[in-house]
Amino acid sequence: MAQARAHGTRRVWVPATAFAVFALAVLLRLIQLQILDHPRYARAAHEELTASDVIYARRGAILDRNGNALATSVDTWDFYVNARTWKDPAKAERSAQALAAALHVDAARLRATVAASTAIDVLVARDVEYETGKELIDSGAVDGLNPVPSSIRVNPERDTAASILGFIGRDKTGLAGIEAAYNEVLQGKPGRAVYERDTAGDPIPFGRRVTSNPLPGKDVVLTIDRYLQRMAEQRLEEAVRQHRAKGGAIIMMDPSTGEIYALATQPGLKYSTLDLSDAKQIELLRNRAVTDLYEPGSVMKVITAAAAIDAGAVTPDTTYVDTGTAYIYGIALQNWDFNTYGLQDMRGVLRNSINTGAIFMMQQLERIQPGGFQRYLDAFGFGKPTGVDLQGEASGIIRRPTHPGWSPVDLATQAFGQSISVTPLQMAAAVAAAINGGNLVRPPFVRQIVGPGGSVQDVKPEIVGRAISAQASATMRDMMHAVMDPGHFPPKDYTAGGKSGTANVPIPNGYDDRQVASFVEFAPLDNPRLLVFVKLDENADLLTGTAAAAPIASRIMDDALHYLNVPADAGKSAVTR
Amino acid sequence: MAAINHPLGHARRVPLPGRPAQVNWWVLAAVFVLGLGAMLPVLQNSTATSRGFDAQRLQLDQARVNGEIRELESEVASLTSLDRIQHRAEEIGLGPGDPPVFVNVGEPGPAPAKIPSEYLPGPVPTTEEPDPWWRSLLSWVSLGN
């Protein structure tokens, strides 16, 4: 008897279809979970199971030219605790008490911090002293503790050179000064460690592995001498106080190599009072000797004279008659003291700082080389950054014939340091070029870079151009020496050359009564070893550069050259036997 | 009952049925190899764990020593800072020195010491070229005067 084939009925097909749809839905969901969204879920699972730490590389030290540490790093710990572990009240209480006792903080606050956090690993202490942290870790008294090695920056010389060194942020990246400019060199390369966690979120023992080792940063050796830097900062502070100035700058430089021994500015960065939450202190982050412009006044006459002598337009013995006023396109330009000096040679122009004499030199130069004066300004490095190793360096401003509102009067006033804005460092580098044989040198802050293995990379002084001839430079040394009569407070032990500058502060459409007093000096005369530049901003006593800045420069010159073991010049304090 | 208390004496050994069991060395070897194979991952795992532990301990030691070195460096830097030197100098009664006195000596410096002759290089030997043969021939015939 043949069995009849069962025909599908609704009672069969409906459940079958329902099962098929359900199976299809499950299948599609599986495809979605296991194929389409696989990377996302795999990543989530991986993140749940593993965690990673950045292993900061040891940041290189910053040393002075004699190898003394100005900034170095010390190991510390950042402590995180696992919030899941601390959900157990007994564990949380016990751990918080142990942690609080070691770190001298409030246990209740620790628990509240962890409880309030939505993160699994909660930061509870930053930059814990290495030994303290190590003892706490070894004791095992804190459940769910995840110590992460870290480091802090230490400045053994405290505030000395702070405005040069700058500082680093919490991510160990340089934010200002040399720390920022040489961040790539100092920072090294951070490493990374990965560790697995158990269901409670605690690291699994021996589950930690270093996926990339940190590469330590290199040490940077500066041209700065800590003793001279400290001296410059102290003298500047005294001078600002004494002359009731708004601020100022002192630069000490080797005129031959351009190496900066010291650079002090006021106002300036101080670690001891640094508070970045105070908006006013943000201004302190810039190094004003590099970033701020001023009109140099009569110090610029050194450059005018150097250009005219190098071009052969004048000699030191060239004479002219000063009538007290020079008329340029109908505009009367007078001497700074409204005096009339009569017949003067070019030494007299510098010694008496005669504005009309500077105009005379510029005109003689322009007569034989039209446009030559501003070409010399370019050759001395004005109008462009010096290339110093600090960020935010200003270029300076030179009014040129192509600028709107240009007038030949601008050229005349540039001859005695107006209608031109420079940085103190530009001015010091330009005067160095005038007296060092004529070479414009990039002022470096860094002498060497020392690798972790002791490899040394020398940073050679860089001559960026030739401003004047060696012969003209020798003539300039003699002319600047002629300036240093007793009224200019010459150094006691060294024959020196120098030039003062006193310039009013420019405002729109003119100048006001505020002034900038400055003095630049070098010694010894025959073989200059040191150039000192002193600038006082808006000194309330209104003393000139000669009266206010020259004594400071000469005192520094004597003390600094003694320190540098430069013998006194014959005929000065040296005893001849 | 007496028969029960009677000792068996030289009781006859009743042989067990079947052949005596023989050791199959191949089976034993296979078991041994399998056992060894099973133990190998355990041993490897144990060794790896042990070495990992050692490596981590050494890394921690290295980190600790490096940390201590840096702390010591920092301490040395602090102790040799200018502020500290000045403070210490004041503590022991030192003060700023007088300005240095520079002396220019008007007379020439002493002559450099003479080097003993035995340390000086000897005279350079001059090598005279021998006369050509024809010159000696000329002198022999007394033509060359």
Side-chain angles (χ1 to χ4, degrees), chain B residues 5-106:
Chain B
N5 292 327
H6 193 270
L8 280 175
H10 300 284
R12 191 166 54 93
R13 238 178 237 277
V14 180
L16 290 172
R19 295 169 58 195
Q22 288 185 345
V23 176
N24 190 331
W25 294 106
W26 288 109
V27 173
L28 267 182
V31 169
F32 179 75
V33 168
L34 284 174
L36 201 64
M39 285 294 290
L40 200 61
V42 177
L43 289 171
Q44 282 181 325
N45 209 355
S46 168
T47 309
T49 307
S50 172
R51 288 193 178 163
F53 175 77
D54 287 345
Q56 277 201 6
R57 189 173 49 78
L58 289 172
Q59 278 182 348
L60 285 174
D61 281 352
Q62 188 186 24
R64 182 180 54 77
V65 170
N66 283 337
E68 285 174 4
I69 289 171
R70 285 196 269 283
E71 268 202 354
L72 287 171
E73 283 175 349
S74 168
E75 202 175 322
V76 168
S78 298
L79 290 173
T80 55
S81 69
L82 289 173
D83 279 347
R84 159 88 185 165
I85 291 170
Q86 184 177 350
H87 181 69
R88 184 76 189 116
E90 285 167 359
E91 273 182 352
I92 60 175
L94 298 178
D98 294 329
V101 175
F102 294 93
V103 178
N104 291 329
V105 180

Side-chain angles (χ1 to χ4, degrees), chain A residues 457-474:
Chain A
Q457 179 189 343
D458 288 320
V459 180
K460 302 282 184 195
E462 184 187 348
I463 296 172
V464 293
R466 187 152 191 90
I468 56 172
S469 68
Q471 192 180 359
S473 177

Side-chain angles (χ1 to χ4, degrees), chain A residues 262-557:
Chain A
L263 189 153
T265 58
Q266 276 226 351
L269 175 67
K270 286 186 176 177
Y271 298 127
S272 55
T273 55
L274 181 64
D275 176 12
L276 291 178
S277 62
D278 181 359
K280 288 179 183 172
Q281 291 213 9
I282 301 295
E283 287 187 9
L284 302 179
L285 302 188
R286 68 177 197 269
N287 191 311
R288 288 161 193 257
V290 171
T291 60
D292 286 17
L293 299 174
Y294 78 109
E295 287 201 354
S298 295
V299 176
M300 183 56 80
K301 287 170 187 161
V302 172
I303 306 304
T304 306
I309 284 169
D310 185 64
V314 298
T315 69
D317 299 322
T318 303
T319 56
Y320 89 111
V321 177
D322 169 47
T323 58
T325 306
Y327 290 93
I328 308 292
Y329 282 74
I331 304 288
L333 298 174
Q334 293 178 306
N335 289 328
W336 65 277
D337 54 358
F338 305 106
N339 207 346
T340 302
Y341 290 91
L343 185 67
Q344 289 288 327
D345 62 11
M346 296 302 109
R347 291 186 188 87
V349 170
L350 281 193
R351 190 186 312 117
N352 298 311
S353 198
I354 305 172
N355 288 350
T356 60
I359 296 170
F360 170 79
M361 287 192 276
M362 181 276 297
Q363 286 175 328
Q364 294 301 104
L365 169 59
E366 287 286 319
R367 192 170 55 79
I368 60 171
Q369 286 184 19
F373 180 61
Q374 290 207 330
R375 281 199 295 276
Y376 271 104
L377 293 183
D378 293 335
F380 275 103
F382 296 113
K384 56 179 178 282
T386 62
V388 73
D389 311 300
L390 289 179
Q391 295 177 326
E393 186 184 12
S395 300
I397 300 167
I398 305 176
R399 282 187 60 76
R400 297 181 189 273
T402 52
H403 289 170
W406 158 265
S407 136
V409 177
D410 289 328
L411 200 62
T413 54
Q414 282 172 358
F416 54 86
Q418 292 181 353
S419 301
I420 180 170
S421 295
V422 303
T423 65
L425 190 61
Q426 268 182 336
M427 197 69 239
V431 175
I435 56 118
N436 72 3
N439 294 320
L440 182 66
V441 187
R442 184 181 76 86
F445 265 117
V446 174
R447 292 184 87 193
Q448 288 178 332
I449 293 171
V450 183
S455 62
V456 176
Q457 179 189 343
D458 288 320
V459 180
K460 302 282 184 195
E462 184 187 348
I463 296 172
V464 293
R466 187 152 191 90
I468 56 172
S469 68
Q471 192 180 359
S473 177
T475 305
M476 282 312 302
R477 287 198 294 271
D478 287 339
M479 288 178 72
M480 289 178 73
H481 175 54
V483 172
M484 296 300 288
D485 58 18
H488 281 78
F489 309 98
K492 287 178 188 163
D493 292 339
Y494 301 93
T495 48
K499 183 70 192 83
S500 63
T502 311
N504 288 107
V505 175
I507 56 172
N509 301 318
Y511 292 86
D512 69 10
D513 290 336
R514 293 174 298 159
Q515 65 171 32
V516 176
S518 60
F519 198 83
V520 64
E521 184 174 302
F522 67 90
L525 184 64
D526 295 331
N527 179 25
R529 292 282 308 278
L530 186 66
L531 183 140
V532 177
F533 175 87
V534 177
K535 178 170 84 78
L536 294 173
D537 298 331
E538 302 179 25
N539 50 320
D541 58 7
L542 295 180
L543 290 178
T544 62
T546 302
I552 303 164
S554 291
R555 194 174 149 218
I556 289 175
M557 186 65 78

